[in-house]
Amino acid sequence: MTHTRCPGCPDGTKGPGKYLCHGCWTGLTMAARRALKRRDRQAIDRLQELYRQLGANVPLTKITITP
């Protein structure tokens, strides 16, 4: 299993199939985590929404994901 850099922090790594490292994942609000866990046709859109906000330096606690 290869670990890759976490997009939410400068020195974290995330495991395969994970969006963020554990520290960043728990830094998200429960609503954001719940939305990102949903597996449906909009899952990719929600993931892109997360990455756009991370790229814009939105703090983890302020990230909102469309349910």
Side-chain angles (χ1 to χ4, degrees):
M1 291 198 279
T2 302
H3 286 72
T4 57
R5 188 181 77 73
C6 173
C9 62
D11 47 27
T13 57
K14 63 184 186 73
K18 305 291 183 188
Y19 298 148
L20 301 168
C21 68
H22 179 73
C24 288
W25 181 256
T26 58
L28 293 172
T29 63
M30 180 62 77
R33 290 194 308 260
R34 191 177 309 116
L36 290 165
K37 287 182 183 179
R38 291 186 60 210
R39 302 290 182 214
D40 58 15
R41 291 182 181 203
Q42 288 78 37
I44 296 293
D45 295 333
R46 287 190 293 274
L47 178 59
Q48 290 173 340
E49 191 174 356
L50 169 67
Y51 287 157
R52 274 193 302 275
Q53 291 180 65
L54 289 172
N57 295 316
V58 175
L60 291 170
T61 57
K62 301 290 184 190
I63 289 179
T64 57
I65 305 295
T66 306

